[in-house]
């Protein structure tokens, strides 16, 4: 290669600065030869590559002066990184590294790209350094000369560079020095790569042997016919706890591991086979160092010499302990199949029954012989459409399994509810071979559910509907109220009822309530709904009233009916009633509003002297004015950053430590201050902003979770309420995934709270979304449990891990034994379904003691903390000494 020509080709077009074309002097050449000899000696001595290259760089720096030398090597992604730069710090190296070769990639990258020397005499004017002025200025690089490095005759693998502190041209000696250095560096790198490749080849062989299942052994015999190992693979240590080196040195160390009863058989195999034998196998037992016994399969191939004398034995030892255990498990599975109390049916890929167990026959009443060869349709009750069964097998085809509840028929014709799990079984080629069904008769569970449902929705003393059921039926009535008709709500509060409890005891008070309920039933029509909604409070719903006068007549009959004396253990007691009345739609559009306004009217009746009724005096214009006023402000609230997220702690009922928080939305109105959600969320939902606002809350909660993690707080779960519109938007799962990845949150740390009514109304659309969220690892909680009409029947179908007892059931604990009974039943039922329970609205120590005593898992309410800002929660956590329960 003509160095001078290369100099001319790659110089910058600017005039040469401080150039020298003189030929190298004898001392220069001697120094160059000395450098080459010294480096080649280091290479021959197999010194570390970095030691050799660092020495080369330092020597060149001393010869050239006012410079620093560095060597860059291509990485496996095609970028240049520093390999040796003794006078470049690790921090400075960041600007050098990750250089992609190209025509304008500084001197180093251009030399590799062009495979030619590059001599830049002024980095501040040369186009090849135009994009890299930061490096030139920061590290005082005025000139930079680079030479490509090669491994053998291949393409460039890197470059060596001399960077001067000021612009200058290389002398002929400097050019030759750089060329020689490149050649020597290439030799060193090539030798290093060759050594690495050789080492990799050795490791590859070792990996191949180690990848062979079990242990590879080679056994030979000494002159006295004693065996010894000539090769033992590393797997011997996993098998019996002896290293390969120990085994090679001492054959007996392995032999002693064999079970005593099996040694004679193995010895016979080793010595008794004649020269015609080419392969033999046996099974035996072996003990590892810890004393655990394993089963092994020993397969050996003997080698014979020309005299038909045994020369060596090549063996593979396989651990077959798991296979032995699997066979034992198969036997056990057969026993379980025959003796389990759950019915098991096996059908082939044509859905013909091939086997059933005893429990299945007992459940259905059919004998095994009657079922074999039949299809499961023999058991159909006739209650399900054909499409129902088609959907089952469509689900199995997609997911491989189906589970759910259906009605089947026994041999005597009786129809019963059955919980059924069907799994598709495939062979190793992925072909469907069988269907396995596990069935349970849930008749008792259904009866218990019905009782519990009735209990959760009815007053235990009077058997009247309770407040929750009353609200549900009232909402249903409102939805079906005819035009020009009204639905009336009458709230009845007994006057002076507390005096009965105080003077005659609670038993007398209960008798009074029973007689009052009986009198109220007698004066009401069958289509009027009567409920007990509190201690001494009753509620009545009258549907499709044509005018207000009809409601007044009923109210007067009630007042009159309750004026008569009540006999309590021989004592006459007089109680009267104050009645508050509200009408739909004049006084509200939902059950909450109508009940609240009727309660307000009760106070008006009491103020008017008791034993009287009063209609709610609505300010309808004020309600409409509030809606009209808030709607445009709500549409701007999100953009103006007026929403706030508060957090209410949830604690472990047993330990008292925080185990989670619930994110709660508030509106920081610029004039009216902090507005609770009940005043604006219905409007948000009505005007179609729930998705935007709900997703914003979810984003804020995840971002705050990340802040808590970065601040060093131990991990606790964060719960976020999810509205029905979000579930039905088809974007919820993707949004949750993105937020979890964006904020580096483990899915189990996020808990989404759902209400059951959206699942009831839109089950087909909501169920897949909830299943996807569950599969993602996000936890699901059922909110307001105990208030929904179908909560119990839907509980086992929803993929939730937690239920939250509504605060309305907690509020009257311990004063209301019915609420205690319901809460106790919900906790027991949830735990039986492996669900955790959180009680909302805990405000007193008595409530806390009761719920803890019933083993409720979590508590939430003002007793622990009201909803507070994230900053205040940080202070709260610090005051709690960061006693966060580990998830």
């Amino acid at each position: 290669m003509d160095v001078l020509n290369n100099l001319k080709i790659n110089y910058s077009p600017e005039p040469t600065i401080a150039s020298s074309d003189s030929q190298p002097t004898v001392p220069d050449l001697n120094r160059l030869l000395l450098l080459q000899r010294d480096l080649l000696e280091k290479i021959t001595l197999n010194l570390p590559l970095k030691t050799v290259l660092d020495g080369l760089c330092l020597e060149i720096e001393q010869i050239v002066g006012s410079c620093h030398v560095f060597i860059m090597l291509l990485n496996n992604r095609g970028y240049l990184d520093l390999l040796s730069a003794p006078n470049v710090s690790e921090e400075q190296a960041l600007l050098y590294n990750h250089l992609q070769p190209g025509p304008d990639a500084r001197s180093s990258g251009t030399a590799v790209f062009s495979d030619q020397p590059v001599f830049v005499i002024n980095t501040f004017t040369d186009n090849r350094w135009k994009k890299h002025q930061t490096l030139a200025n920061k590290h005082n690089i005025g000139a930079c000369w680079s030479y490509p490095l090669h491994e053998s005759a291949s393409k460039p693998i890197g470059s060596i560079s001399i960077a001067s502190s000021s612009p200058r041209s290389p002398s002929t000696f400097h050019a030759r020095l750089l060329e020689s250095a490149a050649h020597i560096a290439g030799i060193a790198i090539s030798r290093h790569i060759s050594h690495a490749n050789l080492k990799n080849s050795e490791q590859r062989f070792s990996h191949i042997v180690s990848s062979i299942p079990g242990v590879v052994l080679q056994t030979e015999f000494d002159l006295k016919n004693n065996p010894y190992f000539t090769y033992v693979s590393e797997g011997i240590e996993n098998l019996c706890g002896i290293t390969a080196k120990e085994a090679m040195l001492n054959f007996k160390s392995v032999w002693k591991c064999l079970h005593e009863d099996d040694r004679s058989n193995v010895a016979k195999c080793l010595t008794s086979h004649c020269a015609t034998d080419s392969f033999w196998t046996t099974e035996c037992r072996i003990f590892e160092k810890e004393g655990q016994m394993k089963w092994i399969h020993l397969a050996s191939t003997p080698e014979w010499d020309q005299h038909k004398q045994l020369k060596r034995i090549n063996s593979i030892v396989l651990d077959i302990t798991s296979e032995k255990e699997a066979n034992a498990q198969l036997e056990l599975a057969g026993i379980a199949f025959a003796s389990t109390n759950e019915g098991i049916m096996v059908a082939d890929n044509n859905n013909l029954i091939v086997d059933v167990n005893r429990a299945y026959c007992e459940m259905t009443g059919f004998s095994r012989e009657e079922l074999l060869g039949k299809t499961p349709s023999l058991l159909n009750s006739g209650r399900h459409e054909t499409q129902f069964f088609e959907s089952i097998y469509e689900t199995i085809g997609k997911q491989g399994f189906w589970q759910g509840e259906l009605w089947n028929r026994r041999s005597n014709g009786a129809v019963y509810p059955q919980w059924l799990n069907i799994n598709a079984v495939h062979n190793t080629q992925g072909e469907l071979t069988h269907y396995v069904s596990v069935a349970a008769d849930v008749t008792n569970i259904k009866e218990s559910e019905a009782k519990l449902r009735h209990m959760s929705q009815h007053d235990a003393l009077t058997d009247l509907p309770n407040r929750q059921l009353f609200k549900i039926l009232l909402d249903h009535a409102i939805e079906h109220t005819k035009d020009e008709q009204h639905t009336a709500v009458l709230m009845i509060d007994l006057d002076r009822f507390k005096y009965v409890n105080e003077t005659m005891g609670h038993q007398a008070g209960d008798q009074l309530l029973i007689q009052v309920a009986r009198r109220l039933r007698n004066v009401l029509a069958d289509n009027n709904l009567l409920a007990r909604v509190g201690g001494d409070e009753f509620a009545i719903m009258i549907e499709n009233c044509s005018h207000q006068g009809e409601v007044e007549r009923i109210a007067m009959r009630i007042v009159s009916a309750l004026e008569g004396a009540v006999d309590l253990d021989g004592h006459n007691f007089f109680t009267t009633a104050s009645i508050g009345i509200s009408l739909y739609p004049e006084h509200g559009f939902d059950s909450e509003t109508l009940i609240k306004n009727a309660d307000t009217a009760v106070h008006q009746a009491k103020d008017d002297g008791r034993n009287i009724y009063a209609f709610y005096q609505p300010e309808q214009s004020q309600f409409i004015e509030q809606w009209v006023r808030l709607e445009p402000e709500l549409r701007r609230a999100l953009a103006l950053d007026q929403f706030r997220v508060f957090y209410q702690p949830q604690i472990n009922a047993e330990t008292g430590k925080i185990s989670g928080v619930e994110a709660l939305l508030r509106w920081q109105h610029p004039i009216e201050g902090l507005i609770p959600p009940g005043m604006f969320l219905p409007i948000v939902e009505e005007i179609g902003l729930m998705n935007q606002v709900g997703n914003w809350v979810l984003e804020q909660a995840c971002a705050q979770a990340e802040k808590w993690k970065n601040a060093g707080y131990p991990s606790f779960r964060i719960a976020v309420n999810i509205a029905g519109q979000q579930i039905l938007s088809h974007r919820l799962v993707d949004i949750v995934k993105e937020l979890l990845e964006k904020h580096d949150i483990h899915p189990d740390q996020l808990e989404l709270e759902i209400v059951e009514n959206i699942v009831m109304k839109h089950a087909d659309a909501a169920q897949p979304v909830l299943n996807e969220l569950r599969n993602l690892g996000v936890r699901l909680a059922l909110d307001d449990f105990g208030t929904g009409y179908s909560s119990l029947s839907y509980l086992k179908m929803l993929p939730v891990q937690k239920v939250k007892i509504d605060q309305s059931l907690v509020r009257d604990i311990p004063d209301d034994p019915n609420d205690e009974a319901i809460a106790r039943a919900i906790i027991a039922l949830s735990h039986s379904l492996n669900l955790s329970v959180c009680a909302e609205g805990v405000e007193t120590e008595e409530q806390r003691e009761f719920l803890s005593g019933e083993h409720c898992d979590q508590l939430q309410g003002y007793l622990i903390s009201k909803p507070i800002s994230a900053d205040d929660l940080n202070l709260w956590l610090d005051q709690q000494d960061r006693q966060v329960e580990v998830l």
Side-chain angles (χ1 to χ4, degrees):
M1 179 183 294
D2 191 339
V3 176
L4 296 179
N5 286 339
N6 281 326
L7 291 176
K8 293 176 182 177
I9 290 171
N10 291 289
Y11 271 165
S12 166
E14 291 196 1
T16 300
I17 302 175
S19 174
S20 173
D21 271 340
S22 61
Q23 294 298 316
T25 65
V26 172
D28 288 338
L29 294 176
N30 287 336
R31 192 165 190 180
L32 181 57
L33 289 172
L34 184 62
L35 172 63
Q36 292 175 338
R37 187 182 67 185
D38 180 58
L39 291 172
L40 289 174
E41 182 180 349
K42 290 181 179 179
I43 294 172
T44 304
L45 292 174
N46 287 326
L47 294 180
L49 180 62
K50 192 171 189 316
T51 301
V52 175
L53 297 182
D54 283 354
L56 175 61
C57 292
L58 292 171
E59 188 66 27
I60 295 174
E61 288 173 359
Q62 187 174 0
I63 294 172
V64 177
S66 300
C67 68
H68 67 272
V69 181
F70 57 93
I71 298 173
M72 304 191 78
L73 195 66
L74 284 171
N75 60 28
N76 54 12
R77 292 173 295 174
Y79 292 95
L80 287 168
D81 288 328
L82 284 178
L83 177 61
S84 175
N87 282 318
V88 175
S89 67
E90 291 183 7
E91 183 179 355
Q92 292 171 333
L94 295 176
L95 286 175
Y96 288 82
N97 285 338
H98 207 65
L99 176 65
Q100 184 174 15
D104 56 356
R106 308 199 301 257
S107 305
S108 305
T110 306
V112 174
F113 176 76
S114 63
D115 197 10
Q116 296 183 30
V118 172
F119 296 86
V120 173
I121 63 176
N122 191 336
T123 60
F124 303 107
T125 59
D126 195 291
N127 287 334
R128 289 165 289 193
W129 278 78
K130 186 176 181 179
K131 298 178 181 179
H132 309 279
Q133 288 301 305
T134 301
L135 175 63
N137 290 324
K138 193 166 184 178
H139 296 292
N140 197 24
I141 301 175
C144 189
W145 317 322
S146 298
Y147 217 101
L149 303 178
H150 296 83
E151 179 191 0
S152 300
S154 60
K155 294 180 180 179
I157 60 171
S159 63
I160 181 171
S161 303
I162 300 176
S164 299
S165 57
S166 60
R168 65 168 167 171
S169 298
S171 67
T172 303
F173 171 66
H174 291 160
R176 289 186 178 177
L177 175 64
L178 189 58
E179 181 182 21
S180 296
H183 179 68
I184 295 171
I187 292 174
I189 294 172
S190 296
R191 185 178 177 87
H192 175 76
I193 292 174
S194 297
H195 277 287
N197 290 338
L198 179 60
K199 186 175 182 180
N200 288 338
S201 296
E202 294 174 349
Q203 289 179 342
R204 192 176 300 112
F205 172 75
S206 176
H207 291 161
I208 291 173
V209 173
S210 63
S211 67
I212 297 175
V215 184
V216 177
L217 302 173
Q218 188 176 73
T219 310
E220 294 191 8
F221 300 86
D222 61 19
L223 296 176
K224 296 181 180 180
N225 207 31
N226 293 319
Y228 64 93
F229 292 123
T230 54
Y231 181 81
V232 179
S233 66
E234 297 294 334
I236 191 71
E237 187 165 2
N238 290 330
L239 184 64
C240 54
I242 298 172
T243 66
K245 185 177 180 181
E246 289 172 341
M248 294 276 286
L249 294 174
N250 188 358
F251 178 88
K252 290 183 178 179
S253 63
V254 177
W255 184 259
K256 288 179 179 178
C257 293
L258 283 173
H259 195 288
E260 290 183 359
D261 296 342
D262 296 335
R263 291 177 187 172
S264 59
N265 181 46
V266 175
K268 184 178 180 182
C269 291
L270 287 173
T271 59
S272 67
H273 289 268
C274 64
T276 57
D277 294 330
S278 59
F279 181 75
W280 55 267
T281 64
T282 187
E283 290 183 0
C284 56
R285 292 158 291 181
I286 194 170
F287 292 95
E288 64 175 12
K289 274 190 175 180
E290 300 299 326
Q292 181 180 357
M293 190 191 77
K294 297 180 179 179
W295 277 94
I296 62 171
H297 178 84
L298 177 61
S300 299
T301 303
E303 292 183 27
W304 310 90
D305 63 18
Q306 58 185 353
H307 304 294
K308 295 186 179 182
Q309 294 296 318
L310 186 61
K311 183 179 180 181
R312 65 176 61 90
I313 299 176
N314 301 308
S315 306
I316 293 181
V317 181
L318 298 177
D319 185 348
I320 59 171
T321 306
S322 58
E323 286 81 353
K324 288 284 188 178
E325 291 174 349
N327 289 333
Q329 288 176 354
L330 284 175
E331 294 179 5
L332 184 61
I335 296 172
F337 177 81
S339 60
T340 182
N341 290 327
E342 291 188 311
I344 302 175
M345 177 184 69
V346 182
D348 62 16
N349 58 352
N350 293 317
N351 212 16
L352 297 177
I353 300 172
V354 297
D355 202 2
V356 293
N357 68 347
R358 173 193 52 78
Y360 199 89
C361 295
E362 292 177 353
M363 182 194 312
T364 62
F366 289 97
S367 68
R368 184 172 181 271
E369 290 71 23
E370 289 176 309
L371 291 172
L372 293 183
K374 306 295 193 305
T375 68
S377 60
L378 174 69
L379 307 168
N380 287 354
S381 64
R383 291 195 178 188
H384 304 290
E385 299 290 338
T386 303
Q387 293 84 348
F388 173 74
F389 295 103
E390 290 176 350
S391 67
I392 288 177
Y393 285 97
E394 182 180 350
T395 301
I396 295 173
K398 291 179 179 179
Q399 301 180 4
F401 71 95
W402 179 88
Q403 67 173 2
E405 186 179 294
L406 50 74
W407 292 86
N408 263 345
R409 181 178 63 87
R410 306 188 203 273
S411 62
N412 61 5
V415 175
Y416 68 101
Q418 186 183 85
W419 184 258
L420 183 62
N421 288 272
I422 306 176
N423 284 275
V425 180
H426 298 82
N427 60 21
T428 55
Q429 288 75 41
E431 299 168 339
L432 175 66
T433 60
H434 293 87
Y435 297 101
V436 176
S437 303
V438 179
D441 185 343
V442 293
T443 302
N444 293 334
I445 296 176
K446 296 288 287 185
E447 292 174 353
S448 298
E449 282 183 352
K451 292 178 182 178
L452 187 56
R453 184 185 304 113
H454 183 86
M455 204 166 122
S456 69
Q457 297 176 340
H458 288 76
D459 172 44
L461 179 65
T462 62
D463 200 37
L464 294 174
N466 60 15
R467 178 182 290 269
Q468 287 72 43
L469 182 56
F470 183 80
K471 287 173 58 180
I472 292 168
L473 296 177
L474 177 56
D475 281 327
H476 182 269
I478 291 171
E479 187 176 346
H480 295 84
T481 298
K482 300 177 182 178
D483 294 339
E484 307 300 327
Q485 295 290 310
H486 308 272
T487 293
V489 174
L490 288 73
M491 298 299 292
I492 303 171
D493 187 89
L494 299 182
D495 300 326
R496 300 183 300 119
F497 175 75
K498 67 177 182 179
Y499 298 123
V500 176
N501 284 335
E502 292 175 355
T503 58
M504 304 180 66
H506 287 283
Q507 187 173 359
D510 290 345
Q511 290 300 316
L512 175 60
L513 291 172
I514 292 172
Q515 294 193 43
V516 167
R518 186 179 301 119
R519 290 188 183 185
L520 290 174
R521 280 198 192 98
N522 291 335
V523 299
L524 293 174
D526 291 339
N527 61 344
N528 298 148
L529 175 66
L530 172 64
R532 182 190 175 198
V533 295
D536 63 341
E537 290 182 292
F538 293 85
I540 297 172
M541 177 183 71
I542 304 172
E543 297 185 65
N544 295 318
C545 305
S546 57
H547 51 78
Q548 179 174 316
E550 183 179 345
V551 181
E552 288 189 80
R553 284 195 296 272
I554 294 174
M556 287 187 289
R557 287 206 302 267
I558 293 172
V559 170
S560 176
L562 296 182
E563 285 178 336
V566 177
D567 184 356
L568 298 177
D569 293 332
H571 299 85
N572 287 334
F573 185 84
F574 292 88
T575 183
T576 57
S578 298
I579 305 174
I581 306 171
S582 63
L583 298 174
Y584 168 83
E586 290 90 337
H587 303 152
F589 300 103
D590 57 74
S591 59
E592 286 284 355
T593 304
L594 290 171
I595 293 172
K596 177 177 67 67
N597 291 340
D599 272 331
T600 301
V602 168
H603 295 294
Q604 295 176 5
K606 288 184 179 292
D607 291 342
D608 292 341
R610 303 175 186 268
N611 196 28
I612 197 172
Y613 65 87
F615 281 89
Y616 176 67
Q617 302 298 321
E619 297 293 339
Q620 186 70 12
S621 59
Q622 181 180 356
F623 175 79
I624 297 175
E625 177 185 348
Q626 182 185 39
W627 183 288
V628 172
R629 177 173 55 82
L630 290 180
E631 179 179 338
E633 296 182 50
L634 268 174
R635 292 185 182 276
R636 299 191 300 269
L638 192 60
L640 296 177
D641 194 27
Q642 293 178 354
F643 287 122
R644 302 287 182 268
V645 178
F646 279 32
Y647 301 91
Q648 188 170 32
Q650 300 169 338
I651 67 168
N652 183 299
E654 181 179 354
T655 65
K657 298 178 182 179
I658 184 171
S659 59
V661 296
E662 181 179 2
L664 300 167
L665 181 65
R666 300 291 185 266
W667 181 14
Q668 186 67 53
H669 193 278
I671 298 176
E672 298 184 15
L674 205 62
I675 300 179
M679 294 181 62
F680 65 89
L681 278 184
I683 305 176
V684 169
E685 187 168 8
E686 184 67 22
I687 62 180
L689 292 178
M690 185 57 74
N691 275 336
Q692 299 177 42
V693 174
N695 292 339
W696 180 85
V697 174
L698 191 58
E699 164 79 34
Q700 296 300 308
C702 290
Q704 184 58 52
E706 182 182 22
K707 291 179 182 178
W708 279 324
K709 180 179 70 172
N710 294 338
Y713 289 103
S715 177
F716 53 82
R717 195 165 285 125
I718 186 163
V720 182
N721 291 279
I722 298 299
Q725 292 180 12
Q726 291 175 270
I727 296 177
L728 301 178
S729 70
H730 307 295
R731 277 276 299 144
L732 180 60
V733 177
D734 291 335
I735 290 171
V736 171
K737 284 182 182 177
E738 293 168 4
L739 292 176
L740 292 175
E741 292 175 1
K742 177 181 178 181
H743 297 288
D744 191 22
I745 299 173
H746 191 278
D748 187 60
Q749 193 179 349
L750 179 62
E751 185 174 84
L752 302 182
E753 296 185 2
I754 59 174
V755 289
E756 165 236 2
N757 64 339
I758 184 64
V759 181
M760 290 176 59
K761 293 181 181 178
H762 306 281
D764 292 340
Q767 193 80 18
V769 176
L770 299 179
N771 287 334
E772 285 191 63
L773 291 169
R774 175 70 178 268
N775 292 336
L776 185 63
V778 173
R779 290 181 61 86
L780 298 177
L782 188 61
D783 201 9
D784 298 337
F785 187 75
T787 63
Y789 185 69
S790 301
S791 290
L792 294 178
S793 63
Y794 271 75
L795 185 59
K796 66 182 179 185
M797 300 176 62
L798 296 177
V800 298
Q801 294 112 319
K802 184 170 83 174
V803 296
K804 299 189 71 176
I805 302 177
D806 187 69
Q807 58 184 347
S808 63
L809 297 176
V810 177
R811 183 183 301 117
D812 293 331
I813 293 175
D815 297 326
D816 191 337
N818 299 324
D819 285 345
E820 286 188 349
I822 294 171
R824 185 181 295 112
I826 291 174
I827 294 170
L829 174 64
S830 299
H831 285 170
S832 71
L833 296 175
N834 293 322
L835 303 176
S836 63
V837 183
C838 177
E840 298 182 291
V842 179
E843 298 183 356
T844 67
E845 283 294 341
E846 290 80 4
Q847 292 168 354
R848 177 174 184 167
E849 290 177 4
F850 170 80
L851 292 166
S852 298
E854 296 300 326
H855 305 293
C856 182
D857 302 290
Q858 287 183 310
L859 305 178
Q860 177 180 348
Y862 275 35
L863 179 65
I864 294 95
S865 170
K866 65 180 182 180
I868 53 180
S869 66
D871 291 338
D872 289 339
L873 186 61
N874 292 343
L875 297 176
W876 190 90
L877 288 171
D878 292 336
Q879 291 172 357
Q880 299 295 316
D881 295 327
R882 297 192 175 185
Q883 292 184 349
V884 179
E885 180 187 38
V886 177
L887 295 180

